[in-house]
């Protein structure tokens, strides 16, 4: 029995730099280089004469049967095999070559092995990178291109072709590539850049427009970089990115931003944005014009810096409430008073600005100047009031007129009817006299009505300051004969320097009527005593005319005393018009008249002249 | 000819009084026609008649718009006198104010007297103005 002995390594083989092992036809390891032993971490003592089939037990691709098969085939073979341990895996490549003797007989197999783990790793890495790049370029729509200066060939990657909307089979030339750029700026620019990079290698990155093969206009970002070899430019590589969506979105954003800012700036409404402390962050043109300064001076200012303190506090309270409740304040009428005291009516809305946490970080305010509208509204309301009063007066007046005119026409009608049927001459004369009377009465009435109309329609009256005492004296002089005849004692207690705002003719009419009334309705048992007094009271001057005459039963006639054609005494010259006229005159000037009276004692009329010139 | 004991005409317009008197002559036989220029004078006279037991006027022609005391005030006072005899009262007015008609209707419904409403001008006295409907 042949004992297994360790055959020493052949010294030459031992030193082979390439890891090599020799296996005979019985699969026994005959010899191996140190490098081979080292590669697999073997010891010669453990391997010498052993079967190779038992050596690679932990190599997946080199099971006993497989290895046996390889060795038996007697053909050159390249096998990649991996040794898997707990922590690691190591890749190897072994080349199996038949081993010939001098007579070209196969005597075994030569095994040359190599650790290829690093290579495999790199291959994997490259594969991964390529996949990643492809995915990335697809997602980002970034393509690439390459121009070889030596072969003068341009190549595009699939993504670049996709952006150009050309088939994958398309092979571009430089001039074709440039022709894809839109005529004009884009094409000129890219030609220039490409020329420049070829000349001195200046890299570029530019946003330009291409027209794709399908005729679509597209924004792209084209970039190029020169690759040098021995100082010479040999290659240009570049990127080609579809940025159409991005550019269009940017353009749109820019446009809408521009639109918005133009809109806000030119709105005829004060627009402002305030922060939590009610300081202005943004103001539009109208707001600047209202405050009378530019936006730079307004930013950071609060209402307290700009407006009356009280008003600023109201505004601040509104701001706080809007930011606290997160509820907009819409269309509230506000008044703003600037530090110089000028006030403006606004229709104000305040809308809270809410961050992603649902908290207010400020507000947008919009205020429309409605001062004008407000004034118009007040004016209108005033006019409506005046109109309503005038209307009531007119209706009343119309009834009076129609009644008065009707009573005369009724008389005419009746008398004429009599006249037609009357046969007696004497009676006819009587009727004729009556008709003449009726005619005179009608004329009188018309004249009276004329006086009344003259006041009622006189809306725009011209009031002047008049010395009251002098005006009364003038009336007194005009009435001198009348007063003397009636033995009137006339007492004028009006202060010398007191003036009233009145239409001169009206003041005369008022004094004249009140004085003549006092005389007309004087008590036959005593001489008339007329006392005039006047004083300032609030916004009025009060003129009182007191008499010691018959007096009027105000319980009975109080409501009618200033009515038209109302007389309360059996006096022949009572026309029942004087008080009606002066009441209208006084009211036309914004004043009023009152009466106190006691039957048998006398009457006092108080005239209130409105001293507010309106 | 209708015979009437006494009759009042209350109007501040002498032409109206003249006219009514003239028209009455054709319809009525009355020796006691009295004219007053306002309600107050008529009322005073009426009160005197009641005091002295003289007859109440059977027919009254009453104007509305008068100084001192107008037609409505006179009517008010008349109703306060609680006269038991039914009096024919002809309210005669040139007013076209609807409120006057409403006032008349109010008095008509609230008194025992016979109230007529006539708008001026009037050309003749109707039978109903001077006699109660049978």
């Amino acid at each position: 029995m042949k004992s297994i002995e360790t055959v020493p390594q052949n010294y030459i083989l031992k030193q082979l730099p390439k890891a090599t092992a020799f296996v005979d036809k019985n699969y026994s390891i005959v010899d191996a280089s140190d490098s081979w032993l080292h590669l697999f971490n073997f010891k010669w003592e453990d391997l010498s004469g052993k079967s190779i089939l038992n050596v690679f037990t932990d190599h997946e691709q080199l099971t006993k049967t497989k290895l046996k098969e390889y060795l038996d085939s007697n053909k050159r073979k390249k096998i990649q095999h991996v040794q898997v341990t707990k922590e690691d895996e190591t890749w190897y490549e072994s080349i199996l070559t038949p081993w010939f003797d001098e007579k070209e007989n196969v005597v075994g197999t030569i095994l040359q092995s190599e650790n290829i783990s690093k290579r495999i790793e790199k291959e994997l890495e490259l594969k991964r990178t390529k996949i990643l790049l492809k995915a990335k370029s697809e997602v980002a729509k970034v393509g690439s291109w390459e121009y070889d200066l030596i072969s003068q060939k341009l190549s595009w990657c699939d993504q670049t072709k996709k952006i150009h909307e050309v088939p994958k089979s398309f092979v571009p030339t430089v001039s074709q590539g440039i022709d894809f750029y839109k005529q004009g700026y884009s094409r000129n620019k890219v030609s220039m850049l490409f020329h420049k990079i070829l000349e001195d290698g200046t890299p570029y990155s530019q946003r330009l427009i291409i027209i794709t093969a399908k005729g679509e206009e597209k924004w792209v970002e084209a970039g190029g970089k020169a690759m040098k070899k021995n100082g010479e430019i040999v290659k240009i590589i570049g990127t080609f990115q579809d940025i159409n969506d991005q550019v269009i979105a940017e353009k749109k954003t820019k446009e809408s931003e521009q639109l918005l800012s133009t809109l806000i700036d030119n709105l005829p409404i004060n627009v402002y944005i305030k922060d939590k402390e009610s300081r202005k962050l943004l103001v539009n043109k109208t707001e600047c014009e209202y405050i009378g300064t530019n936006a730079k001076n307004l930013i950071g200012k609060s209402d307290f810096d700009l407006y009356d303190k009280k008003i600023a506090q109201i505004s601040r309270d509104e701001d706080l409430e809007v930011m606290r409740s997160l509820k907009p304040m819409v269309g509230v009428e506000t008044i703003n008073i600037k530090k110089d005291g000028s006030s403006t009516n606004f229709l104000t809305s305040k809308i809270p600005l809410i961050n992603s946490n649902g908290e207010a970080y400020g507000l947008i305010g919009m205020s429309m100047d409605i001062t004008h509208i407000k004034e118009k509204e007040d004016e209108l309301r005033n006019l409506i009031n005046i109109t309503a009063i005038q209307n009531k007066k007119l209706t009343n007046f119309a009834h009076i007129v129609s009644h008065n005119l009707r009573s005369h026409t009724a008389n005419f009608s009746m008398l004429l009817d009599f006249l037609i049927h009357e046969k007696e001459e004497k009676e006819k004369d009587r009727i004729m006299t009556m008709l003449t009377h009726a005619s005179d009465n009608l004329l009188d009435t018309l004249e009276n009505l004329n006086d009344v109309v003259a006041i009622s329609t006189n809306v725009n009256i011209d009031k002047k300051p008049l010395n009251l005492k002098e005006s009364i004296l003038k009336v007194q002089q005009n009435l001198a004969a009348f007063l003397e005849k009636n033995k009137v004692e006339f007492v004028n207690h009006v202060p010398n320097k007191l003036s009233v705002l009145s239409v001169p003719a009206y003041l005369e009419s008022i004094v004249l009527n009140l004085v003549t009334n006092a005389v007309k309705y004087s008590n036959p048992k005593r001489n008339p005593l007329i006392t005039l007094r006047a004083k300032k009271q609030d916004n009025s001057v009060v003129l009182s005319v007191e008499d010691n005459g018959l007096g009027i039963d105000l319980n009975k006639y109080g409501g009618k005393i200033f009515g038209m054609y109302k007389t309360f005494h059996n006096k022949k010259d009572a026309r029942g018009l004087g008080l009606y006229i002066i009441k209208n005159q006084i009211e036309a000037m914004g004043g009023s008249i009152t009466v106190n009276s006691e039957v048998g004692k006398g009457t006092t009329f108080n005239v209130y002249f409105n001293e507010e010139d309106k | 000819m209708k015979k009437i004991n006494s009759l009042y005409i209350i109007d501040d317009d002498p032409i109206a009084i003249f006219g009514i008197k003239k028209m009455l002559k054709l319809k009525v036989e009355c020796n006691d026609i009295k004219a007053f220029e306002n309600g107050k004078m008529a009322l005073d006279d009426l009160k005197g008649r009641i005091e002295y037991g003289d007859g109440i006027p059977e027919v009254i022609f009453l104007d509305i718009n008068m100084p001192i005391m107008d037609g409505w005030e006179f009517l008010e006072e008349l109703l306060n006198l609680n006269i038991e005899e039914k009096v024919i009262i002809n309210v005669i007015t040139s007013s076209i104010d609807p409120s006057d008609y409403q006032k008349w209707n109010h008095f008509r419904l609230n008194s025992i007297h016979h109230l007529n409403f006539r708008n001026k001008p009037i050309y003749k006295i109707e039978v109903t103005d001077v006699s109660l409907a049978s």
Side-chain angles (χ1 to χ4, degrees):
Chain A
M1 206 159 138
K2 204 180 172 185
S3 69
I4 300 164
E5 51 179 313
T6 311
V7 181
Q9 286 168 274
N10 181 303
Y11 200 70
I12 298 167
L13 289 177
K14 184 179 151 78
Q15 292 180 69
L16 278 174
K18 181 112 179 160
T20 314
F22 296 84
V23 180
D24 67 12
K25 286 196 67 112
N26 298 321
Y27 318 117
S28 291
I29 301 168
V30 178
D31 211 336
S33 66
D34 279 353
S35 50
W36 193 83
L37 294 170
H38 182 72
L39 182 65
F40 295 109
N41 226 356
F42 293 145
K43 277 183 182 141
W44 180 243
E45 295 80 21
D46 300 336
L47 287 182
S48 173
K50 279 206 178 146
S51 168
I52 187 90
L53 300 181
N54 296 322
V55 169
F56 294 112
T57 45
D58 51 356
H59 289 235
E60 264 175 17
Q61 288 78 3
L62 294 175
T63 55
K64 270 184 183 173
T65 35
K66 267 204 180 150
L67 188 57
K68 199 166 170 253
E69 199 181 298
Y70 295 144
L71 293 169
D72 290 346
S73 72
N74 281 338
K75 277 178 189 161
R76 190 187 153 88
K77 198 117 205 158
K78 198 191 261 184
I79 304 154
Q80 285 185 351
H81 49 106
V82 63
Q83 181 184 28
V84 184
T85 64
K86 268 178 205 162
E87 306 92 40
D88 219 349
E89 55 182 47
T90 317
W91 281 90
Y92 301 95
E93 189 175 80
S94 295
I95 299 167
L96 279 68
T97 324
W99 179 17
F100 299 97
D101 65 3
E102 300 84 10
K103 291 161 190 163
E104 297 287 322
N105 295 315
V106 175
V107 290
T109 307
I110 302 169
L111 208 81
Q112 288 182 301
S113 299
E114 198 186 337
N115 187 330
I116 56 160
S117 287
K118 277 198 178 141
R119 208 175 85 202
I120 290 281
E121 215 170 90
K122 274 198 177 142
E123 270 172 21
L124 278 172
E125 174 92 27
L126 190 67
K127 217 170 166 185
R128 263 206 309 273
T129 310
K130 274 190 176 164
I131 291 167
L132 204 65
L133 191 68
K134 197 176 171 225
K136 267 191 180 166
S137 83
E138 270 169 14
V139 171
K141 296 182 181 172
V142 184
S144 60
W145 56 273
E146 233 179 86
Y147 178 65
D148 191 324
L149 270 77
I150 296 148
S151 67
Q152 299 207 335
K153 266 190 184 153
L154 175 68
S155 61
W156 285 355
C157 82
D158 288 351
Q159 184 60 37
T160 303
K161 289 177 185 168
K162 205 172 154 191
I163 295 170
H164 282 89
E165 295 184 311
V166 293
K168 281 188 180 173
S169 57
F170 182 81
V171 181
T173 65
V174 170
S175 74
Q176 271 176 321
I178 285 175
D179 280 347
F180 270 103
Y181 288 89
K182 194 180 178 183
Q183 202 172 9
Y185 176 80
S186 286
R187 197 180 292 172
N188 295 345
K189 188 82 188 171
V190 82
S191 304
M192 220 180 67
L193 290 168
F194 196 69
H195 181 75
K196 189 98 172 126
I197 201 170
L198 287 178
E199 204 162 73
D200 57 16
T202 311
Y204 68 87
S205 179
Q206 188 73 36
R207 286 183 167 197
L208 297 165
I209 300 168
I210 59 160
I211 305 220
T212 69
K214 288 180 181 166
E216 207 131 348
E217 218 168 271
K218 233 182 220 178
W219 277 93
V220 296
E221 182 153 338
K225 198 180 172 216
M227 303 292 279
K228 293 181 182 176
K229 206 174 187 179
N230 303 326
E232 288 282 307
I233 297 164
V234 290
K235 219 187 222 182
I236 312 288
I237 58 166
T239 54
F240 197 76
Q241 187 179 4
D242 181 347
I243 53 162
N244 199 46
D245 294 349
Q246 195 185 329
V247 171
I248 288 181
E250 272 172 25
K251 254 185 148 175
K252 263 195 184 151
T253 312
K254 223 173 174 183
E255 269 171 16
S256 59
E257 253 173 34
Q258 178 114 32
L259 185 74
L260 205 65
S261 73
T262 310
L263 192 70
I264 289 177
D265 232 14
N266 292 295
L267 273 177
I269 294 174
N270 297 40
V271 180
Y272 42 87
I273 295 179
K274 288 176 173 177
D275 67 8
K276 254 181 130 168
E277 310 305 320
S278 290
R279 289 180 299 233
K280 296 193 180 196
L281 294 175
L282 178 150
V283 286
N284 75 342
K285 235 195 249 166
T286 314
E287 173 81 351
C288 291
E289 277 163 14
Y290 165 61
I291 299 168
T293 184
N294 56 25
K296 231 170 86 192
N297 288 336
L298 281 180
I299 303 296
K301 294 254 169 80
S302 78
D303 290 340
F304 288 97
D305 300 321
L306 303 166
Y307 308 129
D308 176 80
K309 202 175 157 198
K310 232 163 120 191
I311 293 296
Q313 191 57 52
I314 292 170
S315 175
R316 173 66 178 151
D317 290 347
E318 285 168 1
D319 293 356
L320 285 173
E321 179 58 21
V322 165
M323 289 189 279
R324 186 196 64 76
S325 65
L326 303 180
K327 278 186 190 131
M329 173 185 115
V330 179
V332 175
E333 280 188 21
T334 57
I335 295 172
N336 222 2
I337 300 171
K338 284 200 261 188
K339 293 221 153 156
D340 64 8
S342 63
S343 86
T344 311
N345 292 76
F346 282 111
L347 195 66
T348 301
S349 296
K350 289 178 176 175
I351 293 120
L353 288 168
I354 301 166
N355 64 17
S356 53
N357 294 333
E359 293 156 352
Y361 63 93
L363 60 87
I364 302 178
M366 283 166 280
S367 299
M368 184 160 76
D369 187 343
I370 54 162
T371 312
H372 231 66
I373 299 169
K374 257 321 226 214
E375 275 168 11
K376 283 263 143 64
E377 206 181 286
D378 286 348
E379 230 171 81
L380 204 65
R381 194 170 300 134
N382 215 0
L383 267 177
I384 289 171
N385 282 343
I386 291 172
T387 314
I389 293 168
Q390 293 264 347
N391 214 4
K392 209 173 154 191
K393 271 191 186 168
L394 269 179
T395 315
N396 194 21
F397 182 68
H399 274 138
I400 292 166
V401 170
S402 82
H403 174 262
N404 282 293
L405 295 183
R406 270 185 68 87
S407 61
H408 293 299
T409 40
N411 282 346
F412 278 123
S413 186
M414 182 185 74
L415 291 171
L416 286 171
D417 189 66
F418 290 165
L419 195 63
I420 291 162
H421 297 106
E422 191 58 61
K423 300 212 167 73
E424 247 179 83
E425 279 307 313
K426 220 178 161 190
E427 189 66 11
K428 269 188 185 174
D429 284 348
R430 240 183 112 195
I431 294 167
M432 282 305 290
T433 318
M434 289 280 181
L435 270 170
T436 315
H437 273 306
S439 166
D440 289 346
N441 290 346
L442 180 58
L443 276 175
D444 270 355
T445 302
L446 285 175
E447 230 164 82
N448 293 342
L449 290 176
N450 230 7
D451 289 348
V452 175
V453 170
I455 317 159
S456 295
T457 55
N458 204 348
V459 180
N460 301 313
I461 46 165
D462 198 9
K463 289 205 281 183
K464 280 182 198 155
L466 301 166
N467 184 293
L468 187 55
K469 188 158 194 171
E470 280 174 18
S471 303
I472 293 167
L473 273 172
K474 227 195 270 171
V475 175
Q476 198 184 344
Q477 281 158 14
N478 289 342
L479 288 173
F482 170 77
L483 294 174
E484 202 180 332
K485 189 182 138 206
N486 290 285
K487 292 174 182 156
V488 177
E489 192 182 338
F490 196 88
V491 183
N492 189 347
H493 279 319
V494 175
N496 284 331
K497 287 193 175 155
L498 189 65
S499 76
V500 289
L501 275 177
S502 173
V503 179
Y506 287 4
L507 181 59
E508 199 180 316
S509 153
I510 291 160
V511 176
L512 183 86
N513 269 292
L514 289 176
V515 171
T516 48
N517 259 350
V519 178
K520 272 188 207 162
Y521 306 121
S522 58
N523 197 319
K525 291 172 195 159
R526 52 184 180 252
N527 285 340
L529 168 67
I530 302 170
T531 314
L532 286 88
R533 292 183 184 85
K535 62 174 177 190
K536 257 194 118 79
Q537 189 178 311
D538 301 325
N539 293 322
S540 309
V541 169
V542 190
L543 167 68
S544 67
V545 179
E546 185 188 343
D547 68 43
N548 61 346
L550 293 165
I552 307 160
D553 186 347
L554 291 177
N555 288 331
K556 268 191 175 170
Y557 308 119
K560 295 176 177 178
I561 194 159
F562 297 107
M564 199 176 179
Y565 293 113
K566 300 286 181 192
T567 52
F568 311 102
H569 303 278
N570 285 320
K571 287 276 178 183
K572 283 289 165 214
D573 53 356
R575 291 194 304 159
L577 201 65
L579 287 177
Y580 179 80
I581 286 175
I582 66 166
K583 183 176 196 278
N584 274 284
Q585 287 172 334
I586 293 163
E587 285 176 354
M589 298 189 296
S592 60
I593 180 166
T594 62
V595 61
N596 292 313
S597 188
E598 206 176 315
V599 177
K601 288 208 165 161
T603 307
T604 307
F605 285 96
N606 290 307
V607 181
Y608 295 81
F609 291 94
N610 184 356
E611 291 299 293
E612 280 182 327
D613 200 9
K614 266 190 183 174
Chain B
M1 281 294 232
K2 168 86 183 170
K3 261 200 158 169
I4 291 172
N5 290 328
S6 71
L7 186 146
Y8 274 11
I9 302 169
I10 310 168
D11 199 321
D12 60 335
D13 181 0
I15 297 174
I17 294 172
F18 166 79
I20 292 168
K21 276 185 177 166
K22 191 167 166 61
M23 288 182 281
L24 279 170
K25 271 185 200 155
L26 303 171
K27 288 272 151 106
V28 172
E29 207 181 297
C30 180
N31 296 322
D32 185 13
I33 295 178
K34 270 196 155 174
F36 306 95
E37 61 182 86
N38 65 52
K40 179 87 168 60
M41 293 165 87
L43 188 69
D44 289 346
D45 189 82
L46 188 61
K47 279 178 179 168
R49 279 173 181 254
I50 293 168
E51 205 177 314
Y52 296 111
D54 296 343
I56 300 293
E58 290 169 47
V59 176
I60 298 173
F61 287 89
L62 180 65
D63 182 29
I64 291 174
N65 261 290
M66 289 177 293
I68 317 289
M69 180 188 274
D70 68 17
W72 301 129
E73 288 161 346
F74 173 79
L75 264 179
E76 197 78 59
E77 297 284 343
L78 179 84
L79 296 187
N80 286 341
L81 294 175
N82 292 318
I83 294 162
E84 281 167 23
E85 293 94 331
K86 205 170 184 175
V87 181
I88 299 171
I89 302 164
N90 298 303
V91 172
I92 295 173
T93 179
S94 56
S95 162
I96 49 164
D97 188 340
S99 75
D100 280 337
Y101 185 84
Q102 282 158 18
K103 265 188 199 162
W104 165 80
N105 203 32
H106 172 78
F107 279 113
R108 185 178 69 87
L109 296 172
N110 291 291
S111 84
I112 60 149
H113 304 296
H114 184 81
L115 266 80
N116 291 318
F117 190 88
R118 302 275 316 255
N119 263 111
K120 287 181 186 177
I122 46 177
Y123 302 109
K124 60 176 186 176
I125 302 295
E126 303 293 339
V127 182
T128 48
D129 295 340
V130 288
S131 54
L132 291 168
S134 49

